[in-house]
Short mmCIF file of all heavy atoms in Angstrom, two decimals:
data_model
loop_
_atom_site.label_atom_id
_atom_site.label_comp_id
_atom_site.label_asym_id
_atom_site.label_seq_id
_atom_site.Cartn_x
_atom_site.Cartn_y
_atom_site.Cartn_z
N LEU A 112 24.10 27.71 -8.12
CA LEU A 112 24.10 29.17 -8.20
C LEU A 112 23.11 29.82 -7.24
O LEU A 112 22.92 31.03 -7.30
CB LEU A 112 23.78 29.59 -9.64
CG LEU A 112 24.80 29.17 -10.70
CD1 LEU A 112 24.30 29.53 -12.09
CD2 LEU A 112 26.15 29.80 -10.42
N CYS A 113 22.47 29.03 -6.39
CA CYS A 113 21.52 29.58 -5.43
C CYS A 113 21.45 28.63 -4.23
O CYS A 113 21.82 27.45 -4.33
CB CYS A 113 20.14 29.75 -6.06
SG CYS A 113 19.38 28.21 -6.59
N PRO A 114 20.97 29.12 -3.10
CA PRO A 114 20.86 28.26 -1.91
C PRO A 114 20.00 27.02 -2.14
O PRO A 114 20.30 25.95 -1.62
CB PRO A 114 20.26 29.19 -0.86
CG PRO A 114 20.71 30.54 -1.26
CD PRO A 114 20.67 30.53 -2.78
N TYR A 115 18.93 27.16 -2.92
CA TYR A 115 18.09 25.99 -3.22
C TYR A 115 18.93 24.86 -3.82
O TYR A 115 18.89 23.72 -3.36
CB TYR A 115 16.94 26.38 -4.16
CG TYR A 115 16.29 25.19 -4.83
CD1 TYR A 115 15.45 24.35 -4.11
CD2 TYR A 115 16.54 24.89 -6.17
CE1 TYR A 115 14.87 23.25 -4.70
CE2 TYR A 115 15.95 23.79 -6.77
CZ TYR A 115 15.12 22.98 -6.04
OH TYR A 115 14.54 21.88 -6.64
N ALA A 116 19.70 25.18 -4.84
CA ALA A 116 20.52 24.16 -5.50
C ALA A 116 21.58 23.61 -4.55
O ALA A 116 21.85 22.40 -4.54
CB ALA A 116 21.18 24.75 -6.75
N ALA A 117 22.17 24.47 -3.73
CA ALA A 117 23.18 24.02 -2.77
C ALA A 117 22.55 23.07 -1.74
O ALA A 117 23.16 22.06 -1.37
CB ALA A 117 23.81 25.22 -2.07
N SER A 118 21.32 23.38 -1.29
CA SER A 118 20.68 22.51 -0.30
C SER A 118 20.31 21.16 -0.90
O SER A 118 20.44 20.12 -0.24
CB SER A 118 19.45 23.19 0.31
OG SER A 118 18.40 23.33 -0.62
N LYS A 119 19.88 21.15 -2.15
CA LYS A 119 19.56 19.88 -2.80
C LYS A 119 20.81 19.03 -2.93
O LYS A 119 20.80 17.82 -2.69
CB LYS A 119 18.92 20.12 -4.17
CG LYS A 119 17.56 20.81 -4.12
CD LYS A 119 16.51 20.04 -3.37
CE LYS A 119 15.78 19.08 -4.25
NZ LYS A 119 14.65 18.41 -3.57
N HIS A 120 21.93 19.66 -3.30
CA HIS A 120 23.18 18.91 -3.45
C HIS A 120 23.72 18.46 -2.09
O HIS A 120 24.22 17.35 -1.95
CB HIS A 120 24.22 19.73 -4.20
CG HIS A 120 25.44 18.94 -4.52
ND1 HIS A 120 26.66 19.21 -3.97
CD2 HIS A 120 25.61 17.86 -5.32
CE1 HIS A 120 27.53 18.33 -4.42
NE2 HIS A 120 26.92 17.50 -5.24
N ALA A 121 23.60 19.32 -1.09
CA ALA A 121 24.07 18.94 0.26
C ALA A 121 23.37 17.68 0.73
O ALA A 121 24.01 16.78 1.30
CB ALA A 121 23.84 20.09 1.25
N PHE A 122 22.07 17.59 0.50
CA PHE A 122 21.35 16.39 0.94
C PHE A 122 21.81 15.15 0.20
O PHE A 122 21.82 14.04 0.76
CB PHE A 122 19.83 16.57 0.80
CG PHE A 122 19.09 15.39 1.35
CD1 PHE A 122 19.02 15.16 2.72
CD2 PHE A 122 18.50 14.47 0.51
CE1 PHE A 122 18.37 14.05 3.23
CE2 PHE A 122 17.84 13.36 1.01
CZ PHE A 122 17.77 13.15 2.37
N GLU A 123 22.22 15.30 -1.06
CA GLU A 123 22.77 14.15 -1.79
C GLU A 123 23.97 13.57 -1.06
O GLU A 123 24.17 12.35 -1.04
CB GLU A 123 23.17 14.55 -3.21
CG GLU A 123 22.00 14.88 -4.11
CD GLU A 123 22.43 15.25 -5.51
OE1 GLU A 123 23.55 14.87 -5.92
OE2 GLU A 123 21.64 15.92 -6.21
N HIS A 124 24.79 14.43 -0.43
CA HIS A 124 25.93 13.94 0.34
C HIS A 124 25.48 13.14 1.56
O HIS A 124 26.12 12.14 1.92
CB HIS A 124 26.83 15.11 0.77
CG HIS A 124 27.57 15.72 -0.37
ND1 HIS A 124 28.68 15.16 -0.93
CD2 HIS A 124 27.32 16.85 -1.07
CE1 HIS A 124 29.12 15.91 -1.92
NE2 HIS A 124 28.31 16.95 -2.04
N TYR A 125 24.40 13.56 2.19
CA TYR A 125 23.87 12.81 3.33
C TYR A 125 23.36 11.44 2.87
O TYR A 125 23.54 10.44 3.58
CB TYR A 125 22.78 13.59 4.06
CG TYR A 125 23.38 14.61 4.98
CD1 TYR A 125 23.55 15.93 4.57
CD2 TYR A 125 23.80 14.26 6.26
CE1 TYR A 125 24.13 16.87 5.40
CE2 TYR A 125 24.38 15.19 7.10
CZ TYR A 125 24.54 16.49 6.66
OH TYR A 125 25.12 17.40 7.50
N LEU A 126 22.74 11.37 1.70
CA LEU A 126 22.33 10.07 1.18
C LEU A 126 23.54 9.16 1.01
O LEU A 126 23.50 7.98 1.39
CB LEU A 126 21.63 10.24 -0.17
CG LEU A 126 20.18 10.69 -0.12
CD1 LEU A 126 19.72 11.11 -1.50
CD2 LEU A 126 19.30 9.58 0.42
N TYR A 127 24.60 9.70 0.45
CA TYR A 127 25.83 8.93 0.27
C TYR A 127 26.34 8.43 1.63
O TYR A 127 26.69 7.25 1.78
CB TYR A 127 26.88 9.77 -0.43
CG TYR A 127 28.23 9.09 -0.49
CD1 TYR A 127 28.49 8.11 -1.45
CD2 TYR A 127 29.22 9.39 0.44
CE1 TYR A 127 29.72 7.47 -1.49
CE2 TYR A 127 30.45 8.74 0.41
CZ TYR A 127 30.69 7.79 -0.55
OH TYR A 127 31.91 7.14 -0.57
N LEU A 128 26.37 9.32 2.62
CA LEU A 128 26.84 8.94 3.95
C LEU A 128 25.98 7.84 4.56
O LEU A 128 26.51 6.89 5.15
CB LEU A 128 26.87 10.15 4.88
CG LEU A 128 27.98 11.15 4.63
CD1 LEU A 128 27.77 12.40 5.46
CD2 LEU A 128 29.34 10.53 4.92
N TYR A 129 24.67 7.96 4.45
CA TYR A 129 23.79 6.94 5.00
C TYR A 129 23.96 5.62 4.26
O TYR A 129 23.81 4.54 4.84
CB TYR A 129 22.33 7.40 5.00
CG TYR A 129 21.99 8.17 6.25
CD1 TYR A 129 22.49 9.45 6.45
CD2 TYR A 129 21.19 7.62 7.23
CE1 TYR A 129 22.21 10.16 7.60
CE2 TYR A 129 20.89 8.31 8.40
CZ TYR A 129 21.41 9.58 8.57
OH TYR A 129 21.12 10.27 9.73
#
Side-chain angles (χ1 to χ4, degrees):
L112 297 174
C113 63
Y115 163 74
S118 69
K119 295 299 272 186
H120 188 247
F122 184 72
E123 291 181 22
H124 290 282
Y125 280 95
L126 281 167
Y127 173 80
L128 287 171
Y129 273 71

